[in-house]
Amino acid sequence: MKAFDNNASAARFLLGGIGTGNISMDQNAALRDFELWNKPNKGGRGPYTFFAVRTEGPGGDVRAKALESQLAPPFDFSHGANVTDVGGLPRFRRSEMTGSYPFVSYRLTDDGMPVEAAIEAFTPMIPLNTDDSSLPVAVLRYSIKNISGGPLAVSVAGSMANLCHIKERDIWSRAQFDGKGVNTYVDKAKFRGISFTPSGKTERSHDYLEMALLTTEGAGVSHIEYWNEGAWWDGLQDFWNDFVGDGALTGGRELRGKGRRLHASPLSVASLCVKKEVAVGDTACFEFVISWYHPNRRWSWDQNAPICDCEDACECDEGCECDDGCGCETECGCDDGCGCEPECDCDEECGCDDGFSNEDGCDCEDTCECEDDCNCDDNCGCGGDNEPAKPAIIRNYYAKFGPPLKTAEYLIDNLPRLEGLSRSFADALMGGSMPEYVLDAVSANITVIRSNTCFRVEDGTFFGWEGCFDSGGGCCDGNCTHVWNYAQTMAYLFPELERSMRRTEFLYETEDDGRMFFRAHRYLNDPEHTLPPATDGQLGTIVRLYRDWQLCGDDAFIKEMWPKAKLALEYAFTHWDVDGDGVMEGEQHNTYDIEFYGMSSMLNSIFYAALRAGEEISAYLGDAASAARYAEIRKRGANKLDEMTFNGEYYVQLIGDVDEYKYQYGAGCLADQLMGQYQAHACGLGYVLDEANVKSAVRSVFKYNFVEDFSDITNLQRMYALNQNRGLLLCSWPGGGRPEIPFVYSDEVWTGIEYQVAAHLIYEGYVDEGLKVVEAARARHDGVERSPWNEVECGHHYARSLSSYAVLLALSGFRCDAVNKVLYFKPAINADNFSCFFCCADGWGIYRRETPADGIGGGAPVESIETLYGDLSGYSLNHANS
């Protein structure tokens, strides 16, 4: 397992459940990147949020330090490090960080301290159990070992600011607040600590937040509900004096002395402390839990859209009833916080109530017709014909678990089970016989599912951005079909969430003529996406539907999805394969955010994989005619594509003048040229193009596109590999013919495509080449240049990186046929002594293939599965496949 020291300043490990937002721990073991408000917040720190340790020996020798390692440069901030980040506290000199998702561990050492500190943090994650993997909690354990010559009194204290009213930082980098938070000490049967709540808000407020800092320790607990903030840095100074003084916290202390109160603090900071006696050589564990509760979100992809909030914006008289959209009724007056312009008065005849006049640009006539660029909704818009059919806010799915204390109680009551299964998963995954960097790639990218890239609304429907900006919101909305096309991780670990995406794509976003909107907006009532259908994304959903059905074996699911899915498949016959020759030509929008023209093996291979999936589904559902038709078109088209676009080494784009349209690739060697074949292999559909040509082409992608050193590579686009990095280019032109303006992103390196190509190389027998691509991708994420738990493309925690799971599938040869209850394995490495984690909708565990010692059983390999979760008793192993 790779270790990171305190110089690995890019390392960030996410804590938090599916759709809950996150808190991260950095390479120093500091809590940072508080992303709890339905959107990213990279770099967002919680003021005065840290843990510290104090020790006292028999002779009264007291030592105290933050439970973090020393900060790494640079330190060239305009006013030095912000005091609320407590950068000036003494810290441990050395640290080592390791992570095996969902667990992160640290070891802190310092020659000047009589203790060593080990830290472990995690949020439960159990494949197939989405609820227990969606808890808004983080468990933190600080294990302090006495390495001195005598007994020690050891205290560990956690401090945290109330974030329930936090807003932006000011020019001094000080956090701003719109109210004073309420801190309350709670003492329950199984935990005690600080509850952080807002003042003057109820759960109807869209930005409502609660948090809690708790400990499961029963003795030696002390606390401070409110620091003596006063002014300047009084609060931190007073806390440190109190903590270092006797290792226990004293609530209600008063600050002495007179003086002006410049820079009065708006903070509400609390601390929780546990004190224990630790004998020589012994280790004491101090367990803490952080939980949070942000129940509401705007009913929109855009979480920054204006919203009229009855709790915060509308000054309603007592007894006034607010409508469901959080807009006040006519008799309630709106203040300026509603975004209402007082000069925009509507006539009485208009359905617009006086309390919610339109914003600038909204001209409410008698018919209440709003301008196209005016956001006239119930947030401050027109009534009458323009009355929206949705409220302004919707609940987050995880809100059903309740406020932080309730969630924490559930966590603590079930902690042995939750932790045990989470650890079983991590151990099973990382304990396999595959190379460590492969398992690391699979494990590290699970964070995408639990980052702000993904969320669930109250009925459980799952949504995913492509990735996340640094702050403010997700990047590229709508469950983008052509990006999520590459992903495999969620389909195997949380298949119900993947099936939710299929329902959205087919039941909400597919028209009666088969056109599918590749960005899902309808469910959230956002304006419809206007770009043409994405050829690769739309056809890829057919293949993914087949995969998801095979994984769950649910007849009701495939019967519900297939009518619309069939329309989506046959859309290709009237819009992309217009001449009926089985080869798509013309305008084909795709994942590079442009259109390819002419013949492309990338898009046509997906077409053939979709036809192959349609053939299997149709035959299963008794539609022999459609099955035969799809098979005939696929074979005819594949033969023509092989004949016309394979140049003897790889597939090229067949287009007359490559510069007639911008953004083509022509004679280039495209990394994605066999995207459909990759998808077909991953779900057991076999070859959709000529096997020999496929093997040659994917080998050529490695030969021509893999770069050992980027120092001399010209890239005028975005940079994800540079200097001495290694990686796989999206396209190369080994024989010349590069277009004057090649397709967008052609010179970039995307991990999501690297993993796709690596998996395909392995499927075709080029194991060493595939592993080299994976190793290079993970080497770039070394904690110094890039985070090991955040593979960036168009945004942080980019969804395409979930293709990393395909490498596990390829190396193990795993495939699940839940319809017939068969598990397939075909190890590509270490076949005589192989083990790996596997998961399908009915359970997960470990597959083993072991060759007995000479003379025992004839030396034939013995296969077995160990079920760690679920029920796989009805499944058989396909021995012929291995």
Side-chain angles (χ1 to χ4, degrees), residues 601 641-642 645-646 650-652 668 673-674 689-690 693-694 697:
S601 65
L641 188 79
D642 275 317
T645 66
F646 187 72
Y650 55 87
Y651 292 88
V652 298
Q673 65 184 266
L674 293 168
L689 290 171
D690 180 82
N693 290 354
V694 166

Side-chain angles (χ1 to χ4, degrees), residues 404-470:
L405 298 183
K406 183 178 179 181
T407 306
E409 184 175 20
Y410 174 83
L411 169 78
I412 294 165
D413 283 344
N414 293 276
L415 192 54
R417 176 181 63 84
L418 297 173
E419 179 180 355
L421 287 170
S422 299
R423 206 173 293 280
S424 290
F425 162 66
D427 291 345
L429 175 60
M430 299 305 293
S433 57
M434 300 177 192
E436 183 177 299
Y437 51 82
V438 170
L439 301 175
D440 184 46
V442 174
S443 172
N445 284 302
I446 298 171
T447 54
V448 171
I449 303 171
R450 304 220 292 188
S451 72
N452 273 279
T453 295
C454 302
F455 64 93
R456 297 177 78 188
V457 295
E458 58 188 322
D459 66 1
T461 303
F462 176 91
F463 294 99
W465 298 82
E466 292 183 29
C468 292
F469 287 106
D470 289 338

Side-chain angles (χ1 to χ4, degrees), residues 169-467:
R169 289 181 178 251
D170 66 10
I171 196 171
W172 301 88
S173 294
R174 295 175 302 198
Q176 300 298 292
F177 297 81
D178 65 1
K180 194 79 169 178
V182 178
N183 304 342
T184 307
Y185 182 72
V186 294
D187 193 340
K188 303 290 186 179
K190 296 183 179 180
F191 62 84
R192 52 224 39 88
I194 308 296
S195 168
F196 300 96
T197 56
S199 59
K201 295 184 179 183
T202 72
E203 283 194 37
R204 291 194 60 177
S205 175
H206 76 278
D207 62 353
Y208 186 83
L209 174 72
E210 289 186 39
M211 296 185 71
L213 171 62
L214 310 167
T215 181
T216 57
E217 307 296 337
V221 178
S222 58
H223 71 279
I224 302 174
E225 280 186 331
Y226 294 92
W227 279 11
N228 282 315
E229 277 302 301
W232 291 98
W233 307 303
D234 294 352
L236 178 59
Q237 184 68 68
D238 182 58
F239 160 77
W240 196 248
N241 292 344
D242 187 15
F243 178 60
V244 175
D246 61 3
L249 302 180
T250 306
R253 284 163 54 101
E254 293 186 6
L255 295 178
R256 297 188 302 160
K258 300 177 181 180
R260 294 187 181 275
R261 292 172 56 86
L262 293 176
H263 299 294
S265 173
L267 295 167
S268 296
V269 184
S271 296
L272 183 64
C273 179
V274 179
K275 187 174 184 179
K276 298 184 179 183
E277 299 293 327
V278 186
V280 176
D282 284 356
T283 299
C285 181
F286 300 76
E287 185 174 74
F288 295 85
V289 172
I290 298 174
S291 59
W292 58 91
Y293 179 65
H294 180 57
N296 303 321
R297 64 183 305 113
R298 290 168 174 83
W299 196 321
S300 170
W301 281 95
D302 183 5
Q303 293 303 293
N304 298 307
I307 189 168
C308 224
D309 195 327
C310 281
E311 298 295 336
D312 296 337
C314 292
E315 300 292 340
C316 300
D317 294 333
E318 189 173 343
C320 173
E321 295 181 357
C322 294
D323 66 23
D324 289 341
C326 290
C328 297
E329 300 291 348
T330 305
E331 61 268 26
C332 286
C334 278
D335 66 11
D336 290 340
C338 285
C340 298
E341 299 294 338
E343 65 268 24
C344 188
D345 294 323
C346 300
D347 297 334
E348 289 183 3
E349 299 89 340
C350 177
C352 294
D353 62 68
D354 292 338
F356 281 122
S357 309
N358 285 320
E359 299 175 11
D360 283 340
C362 263
D363 183 15
C364 282
E365 303 294 342
D366 289 350
T367 57
C368 205
E369 294 179 355
C370 299
E371 306 259 346
D372 289 340
D373 59 352
C374 174
N375 183 18
C376 286
D377 58 18
D378 63 321
N379 296 337
C380 283
C382 295
D385 293 339
N386 290 311
E387 191 68 27
K390 65 174 183 178
I393 61 174
I394 190 173
R395 302 273 284 182
N396 280 309
Y397 177 80
Y398 83 86
K400 76 174 193 173
F401 303 128
L405 298 183
K406 183 178 179 181
T407 306
E409 184 175 20
Y410 174 83
L411 169 78
I412 294 165
D413 283 344
N414 293 276
L415 192 54
R417 176 181 63 84
L418 297 173
E419 179 180 355
L421 287 170
S422 299
R423 206 173 293 280
S424 290
F425 162 66
D427 291 345
L429 175 60
M430 299 305 293
S433 57
M434 300 177 192
E436 183 177 299
Y437 51 82
V438 170
L439 301 175
D440 184 46
V442 174
S443 172
N445 284 302
I446 298 171
T447 54
V448 171
I449 303 171
R450 304 220 292 188
S451 72
N452 273 279
T453 295
C454 302
F455 64 93
R456 297 177 78 188
V457 295
E458 58 188 322
D459 66 1
T461 303
F462 176 91
F463 294 99
W465 298 82
E466 292 183 29

Side-chain angles (χ1 to χ4, degrees), residues 739-757:
E740 182 177 351
I741 304 292
F743 75 90
V744 179
Y745 315 131
S746 57
D747 297 322
E748 297 182 1
V749 173
W750 297 352
T751 62
I753 289 180
E754 287 180 300
Y755 295 135
Q756 177 267 117
V757 171

Side-chain angles (χ1 to χ4, degrees), residues 516-826:
M516 177 187 292
F517 296 98
F518 70 83
R519 296 196 186 277
H521 285 183
R522 287 176 168 174
Y523 187 98
L524 297 177
N525 285 353
D526 284 337
E528 283 189 353
H529 193 60
T530 57
L531 284 173
T535 308
D536 50 351
Q538 177 159 330
L539 294 173
T541 60
I542 313 298
V543 187
R544 288 185 283 154
L545 173 64
Y546 175 80
R547 174 199 62 192
D548 299 340
W549 169 54
Q550 288 286 293
L551 281 171
C552 72
D554 185 352
D555 278 11
F557 170 70
I558 196 63
K559 289 176 180 177
E560 180 188 16
M561 295 298 106
W562 184 239
K564 276 296 187 73
K566 185 177 182 180
L567 291 175
L569 175 57
E570 300 211 354
Y571 183 88
F573 302 148
T574 55
H575 289 77
W576 297 314
D577 178 21
V578 294
D579 58 4
D581 64 350
V583 180
M584 297 188 301
E585 301 173 84
E587 180 182 276
Q588 301 155 73
H589 190 76
N590 60 72
T591 196
Y592 305 122
D593 299 322
I594 48 84
E595 290 72 43
F596 283 155
Y597 295 85
M599 294 185 187
S600 163
S601 65
M602 171 192 172
L603 302 175
N604 275 288
S605 66
I606 302 173
F607 182 29
Y608 304 145
L611 287 168
R612 181 75 184 87
E615 177 188 346
E616 289 290 320
I617 296 170
S618 295
Y620 182 82
L621 296 178
D623 184 359
S626 292
R629 176 170 170 250
Y630 297 153
E632 190 278 326
I633 294 171
R634 173 179 59 82
K635 292 173 184 177
R636 174 161 44 90
N639 288 337
K640 183 174 182 179
L641 188 79
D642 275 317
E643 178 184 344
M644 300 192 69
T645 66
F646 187 72
N647 72 358
E649 280 192 286
Y650 55 87
Y651 292 88
V652 298
Q653 179 190 20
L654 187 63
I655 185 170
D657 178 0
V658 75
D659 290 316
E660 179 182 356
Y661 299 97
K662 288 197 297 183
Y663 314 132
Q664 307 303 297
Y665 67 97
C669 183
L670 183 69
D672 266 340
Q673 65 184 266
L674 293 168
M675 174 64 184
Q677 186 60 74
Y678 150 76
Q679 290 183 300
H681 279 328
C683 56
L685 287 170
Y687 282 94
V688 297
L689 290 171
D690 180 82
E691 181 177 353
N693 290 354
V694 166
K695 289 184 182 297
S696 174
V698 74
R699 179 67 178 82
S700 296
V701 171
F702 177 80
K703 177 182 178 181
Y704 295 123
N705 293 24
F706 188 77
V707 177
E708 292 282 359
D709 187 327
F710 274 77
S711 299
D712 296 321
I713 295 294
T714 299
N715 175 13
L716 307 181
Q717 301 166 7
R718 302 171 304 182
M719 296 176 294
Y720 303 116
L722 67 165
N723 301 334
Q724 285 75 47
N725 291 158
R726 296 175 298 148
L728 190 83
L729 289 169
L730 268 61
C731 198
S732 66
W733 285 265
R738 179 185 171 104
E740 182 177 351
I741 304 292
F743 75 90
V744 179
Y745 315 131
S746 57
D747 297 322
E748 297 182 1
V749 173
W750 297 352
T751 62
I753 289 180
E754 287 180 300
Y755 295 135
Q756 177 267 117
V757 171
H760 195 180
L761 282 163
I762 294 166
Y763 278 125
E764 302 300 341
Y766 301 112
V767 177
D768 290 342
E769 292 86 345
L771 293 179
K772 190 171 184 179
V773 173
V774 179
E775 185 180 20
R778 289 310 294 169
R780 297 197 305 271
H781 293 81
D782 61 357
V784 176
E785 295 187 4
R786 300 169 186 87
S787 173
W789 298 282
N790 178 12
E791 294 191 1
V792 169
E793 190 192 303
C794 186
H796 296 286
H797 310 293
Y798 199 74
R800 204 187 314 263
S801 68
L802 292 171
S803 61
S804 59
Y805 198 90
V807 182
L808 182 151
L809 298 176
L811 286 173
S812 65
F814 175 67
R815 180 167 66 86
C816 172
D817 177 0
V819 178
N820 297 299
K821 301 295 183 184
V822 182
L823 299 177
Y824 295 85
F825 292 91
K826 188 176 182 179

Side-chain angles (χ1 to χ4, degrees), residues 112-133:
M113 290 293 289
V115 296
E116 290 180 351
I119 307 169
E120 183 179 62
F122 69 97
T123 298
M125 200 202 79
I126 305 166
L128 306 184
N129 189 330
T130 56
D131 275 6
D132 283 345
S133 302

